[in-house]
């Protein structure tokens, strides 16, 4: 398995372009199942999770055409299969997002239940209950969700919890349902809004996206469309945490600062100087950052996907910070690895107390999940000496060429392949 070798202690200076958002691209790719026409997408990130989703769609019979860059054309005019097998679903939980579109357009679907997840259970029961409310008959057979419906019918659905993928799945199912569907307690994330904007371009009748009450008036059919995937606010936030930890000055291009309010506010509290325009952020850090308390919450609150990166920043900040994780029950696995680098962190349930230290010390650490990987990269960039990060396949799921972009900023970082070659 590949690993990263980082020689820390260098400030970051330069400019990088932020890629399209993974968490927006995955449901948007699934939306192509809702029409026989071609859906042309731009700014699709080149990521392991995106490759997995495209492989799944191709296995279903979707014609996939790459332009060699960040463009993808999808045509689901005729499918070979309505089954999403465990072999693909087990590697990426977002595969459940094919369930809603398949049932809505084809009247049936057979989708493997996702496997376990390192950061929490993330059950799909909200998806299933929502589809049942729309009239789908659902059974669980041999580890598969089997759904059938002649045509879904609109309903009022209130999920027990705010669920991003649940909102996206039900949104895609409802656009072809007969009558009006109201999604209450809906996720407000920008990625949900991005999906809704594509669906509207395809002919869907949707209002209220971006609020906790989305209204969908079902239509007979959708058509093709062109759409550009929104910028990745988590990637942008990760780079900003990196410069806040190491010092220096960077400019991020191709960003959407309007989606990053909570992250930018906390970074400013940490002492990062920010100059923000419509599509770029310039960040300057002088001296040591200040500790910042974090409490994760659904959007527009502080994103759980930024918690690990901010914890890495807090390990070298002045003072003591409190980090509270309210979304996932097991999202502190990076803590033990940060401690190996010299961090002073104590955990009590869903709360971590981080006492900032002047410096970290390089060591060999292991990535446990996607955002934990980013936190270890940030810590390694700050640590004295060399840090080796193993199991970086987690990182490749959600960050496009992270080590290459960091080298553009002057970081001393290289990928070591499983064969021992950089």
């Amino acid at each position: 398995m590949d690993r990263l070798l980082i020689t820390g202690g260098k400030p970051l200076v330069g400019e990088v372009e932020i890629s399209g958002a993974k968490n927006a691209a995955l449901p948007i790719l699934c939306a192509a199942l809702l029409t026989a026409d071609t859906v042309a997408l731009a700014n699709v990130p080149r990521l392991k999770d995106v490759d997995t989703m495209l492989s799944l769609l191709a296995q279903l019979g979707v014609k996939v055409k790459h332009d060699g860059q960040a463009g993808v054309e999808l045509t689901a005019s005729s499918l070979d299969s309505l089954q999403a097998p465990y072999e693909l679903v087990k590697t990426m939980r977002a595969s459940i997002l094919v369930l809603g579109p398949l049932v809505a357009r084809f009247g049936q679907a057979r989708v493997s239940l996702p496997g376990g997840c390192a950061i929490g259970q993330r059950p799909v029961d909200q998806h299933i209950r929502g589809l049942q409310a729309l009239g789908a008959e659902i059974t669980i057979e041999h580890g598969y969700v089997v759904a059938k419906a002649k045509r879904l019918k609109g309903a009022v659905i209130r999920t027990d919890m705010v669920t991003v993928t649940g909102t996206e799945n039900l949104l895609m199912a409802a656009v072809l349902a007969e009558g009006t569907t109201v999604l209450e307690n809906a996720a407000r994330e920008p990625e949900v809004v991005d999906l809704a904007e594509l669906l509207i371009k395809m002919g869907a009748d949707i209002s209220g996206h971006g609020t906790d009450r989305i209204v969908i008036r079902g239509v007979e059919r959708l058509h093709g469309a062109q759409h550009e995937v929104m910028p990745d606010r988590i990637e942008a936030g990760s780079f900003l945490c990196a410069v806040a930890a190491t010092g220096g000055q960077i400019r991020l291009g191709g960003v959407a600062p309007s989606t990053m309010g909570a992250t930018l506010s906390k970074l400013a509290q940490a002492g990062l100087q920010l100059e923000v325009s419509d599509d770029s952020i310039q960040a300057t850090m002088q001296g040591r950052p200040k500790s910042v308390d974090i409490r994760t919450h659904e959007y527009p609150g502080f994103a759980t996907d930024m918690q690990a990166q901010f914890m890495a920043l807090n390990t070298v900040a002045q003072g003591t910070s409190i980090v509270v994780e309210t979304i996932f029950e097991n999202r502190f696995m990076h803590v033990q690895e940060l401690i190996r680098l010299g961090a002073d962190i104590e955990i009590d349930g869903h709360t971590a107390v981080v006492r900032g230290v002047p410096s970290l010390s390089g060591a060999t650490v292991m990535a446990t999940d996607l955002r934990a990987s980013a936190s270890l990269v940030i810590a390694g960039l700050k640590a004295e000496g060399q840090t080796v990060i193993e199991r970086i396949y987690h990182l490749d799921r959600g960050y496009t060429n992270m080590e290459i972009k960091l080298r553009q900023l002057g970081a001393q970082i290289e990928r070591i392949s499983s064969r021992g070659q950089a």
Side-chain angles (χ1 to χ4, degrees), residues 130-417:
L131 288 170
Q132 288 173 327
L134 293 172
E137 295 181 8
I138 297 182
T139 56
I140 307 298
E141 300 176 3
H142 308 294
Y144 280 80
V145 179
V146 180
K148 297 179 180 179
K150 289 184 177 179
R151 185 182 180 188
L152 298 175
K153 298 186 184 301
V156 176
I157 302 170
R158 180 177 179 84
T159 53
D160 294 339
M161 64 187 75
V162 177
T163 161
V164 175
T165 54
T167 298
E168 292 164 343
N169 228 343
L170 297 175
L171 178 60
M172 288 188 282
V175 293
L176 292 178
E178 180 182 346
T180 299
T181 298
V182 179
L183 300 181
E184 296 184 341
N185 201 27
R188 300 164 61 185
E189 270 71 3
E191 294 80 9
V192 174
V193 175
D194 205 28
L195 170 63
E197 292 296 335
L198 167 62
L199 293 171
I200 290 169
K201 291 177 184 177
M202 295 169 67
D205 185 346
I206 303 169
S207 60
H209 44 299
T211 77
D212 61 1
R213 186 177 188 271
I214 304 175
V215 179
I216 308 106
R217 298 165 188 85
V219 298
E220 288 290 332
R221 64 178 298 274
L222 297 182
H223 52 72
Q226 295 182 343
H227 185 74
E228 182 172 332
V229 176
M230 66 171 283
D232 195 323
R233 61 193 173 104
I234 306 302
E235 182 190 20
S238 300
F239 276 92
L240 293 175
C241 282
V243 73
T246 65
Q249 183 178 73
I250 66 172
R251 180 185 180 278
L252 303 181
V255 294
S258 61
T259 67
M260 298 175 61
T263 294
L264 296 181
S265 176
K266 289 296 183 181
L267 285 164
Q269 289 179 37
L272 189 65
Q273 300 171 38
L274 298 166
E275 295 179 29
V276 178
S277 71
D278 288 344
D279 61 356
S280 70
I281 299 174
Q282 181 154 310
T284 305
M285 189 69 190
Q286 297 175 330
R288 193 174 165 193
K290 303 179 184 69
S291 292
V292 179
D293 291 341
I294 298 296
R295 185 181 183 88
T296 64
H297 204 274
E298 293 87 0
Y299 191 86
F302 188 87
T304 182
D305 278 354
M306 284 301 306
Q307 178 256 106
Q309 299 91 309
F310 260 83
M311 188 180 290
L313 172 59
N314 277 330
T315 63
V316 294
Q318 299 179 58
T320 298
S321 59
I322 306 296
V323 177
V324 182
E325 175 59 57
T326 70
I327 308 297
F328 293 126
E329 69 273 14
N330 195 21
R331 203 162 201 176
F332 282 156
M333 291 193 296
H334 48 281
V335 168
Q336 294 304 319
E337 303 305 304
L338 289 172
I339 290 173
R340 284 182 54 79
L341 296 171
D344 184 351
I345 307 171
E346 290 184 16
I347 300 176
D348 183 6
H350 296 288
T351 300
V353 178
V354 186
R355 299 176 183 87
V357 296
S359 63
L360 300 175
S361 178
T364 298
V365 292
M366 181 180 68
T368 53
D369 61 70
L370 170 54
R371 305 308 173 185
S373 307
S375 76
L376 297 179
V377 170
I378 293 166
L381 292 170
K382 178 63 176 176
E384 297 174 355
Q386 289 193 332
T387 296
V388 176
I389 305 176
E390 298 181 338
R391 293 191 181 179
I392 60 168
Y393 58 84
H394 289 293
L395 191 76
D396 296 336
R397 288 183 45 228
Y399 291 91
T400 305
N401 299 325
M402 192 180 206
E403 73 276 14
I404 295 174
K405 291 181 178 181
L406 284 169
R407 280 202 297 272
Q408 289 175 225
L409 300 176
Q412 197 168 335
I413 178 173
E414 60 181 322
R415 178 180 293 254
I416 307 297
S417 76

Side-chain angles (χ1 to χ4, degrees), residues 78-124:
S78 60
L79 296 192
D80 304 323
S81 170
L82 298 177
Q83 175 169 306
Y86 177 69
E87 289 69 30
L88 285 172
V89 175
K90 70 178 181 180
T91 65
M92 184 183 65
R93 297 186 58 87
S95 304
I96 195 70
L97 287 166
V98 303
L99 180 62
L102 288 176
V103 177
R105 181 171 164 218
F106 299 98
Q108 57 181 304
R110 182 180 170 88
V111 179
S112 172
L113 285 166
C117 181
I119 62 171
Q121 294 182 358
R122 297 202 273 191
V124 298

